[in-house]
Amino acid sequence: NMSPSRTVYSKDDGEQYVKMRGFKIQAFSGNNQRTSKNEANTKQRLINESFPEQETVVTFDSPFWRLRVGNFRTREDANEVLREMQKVFTSFGKEMYVVVDEVKIPVN
C-alpha cells in the first residue's frame, strides 16, 4: 500500500499516479551521436505500435540516448513484458533488459 506522503501527479486525461522506485525495460541505449537519436526514436515508434499500453520514454544523458518502456512495480512484471517484446522484436530484442528506475504507478 502507498505511503500517504507520496506526491500524486495528474496526467492530461486526469488519471492520477505516484512516482516511486520500480522497473522499466531498457529497449535501447547508444552513444553514437550520428545515429543513436534516430535509432531510439525509430524503436520507440515500433514499440508504441505493438505495445500501445506501455509508456515509452526517450532520454538523452550525455553521451547516451536511451529508450525505456513501461512502469512496473516488480521485476517479475517487467520480465513478463520483456519476454513478449523479445518475441515481437527478434532483431533487437536481445539488447533489451530490465532496469531499476523511477516509475509512475496509477492511483486506484
Side-chain angles (χ1 to χ4, degrees):
N1 57 7
M2 294 291 166
S3 63
S5 60
R6 288 191 192 280
T7 307
V8 175
Y9 301 85
S10 291
K11 291 186 190 164
D12 296 341
D13 62 7
E15 188 191 353
Q16 295 185 316
Y17 60 90
V18 294
K19 291 182 180 176
M20 59 189 286
R21 185 173 172 279
F23 299 89
K24 294 189 177 204
I25 294 164
Q26 184 153 300
F28 172 74
S29 175
N31 62 357
N32 181 316
Q33 295 315 296
R34 213 167 38 80
T35 61
S36 290
K37 179 182 181 180
N38 286 342
E39 190 170 351
N41 288 323
T42 299
K43 288 178 175 175
Q44 181 180 38
R45 275 196 304 278
L46 291 170
I47 290 167
N48 286 344
E49 285 166 17
S50 294
F51 296 87
E53 72 287 356
Q54 299 296 342
E55 181 182 54
T56 57
V57 184
V58 172
T59 58
F60 178 64
D61 184 11
S62 186
F64 286 97
W65 287 93
R66 292 191 177 95
L67 168 59
R68 291 188 173 178
V69 182
N71 290 287
F72 304 102
R73 281 174 199 263
T74 67
R75 190 176 285 277
E76 290 71 39
D77 290 347
N79 274 324
E80 209 170 295
V81 175
L82 174 62
R83 283 193 292 273
E84 291 303 309
M85 289 176 65
Q86 287 174 328
K87 282 182 208 154
V88 174
F89 302 111
T90 50
S91 61
F92 62 91
K94 55 191 172 302
E95 297 170 32
M96 300 179 184
Y97 57 95
V98 174
V99 294
V100 174
D101 201 347
E102 182 181 73
V103 296
K104 300 175 195 166
I105 301 294
V107 179
N108 298 333

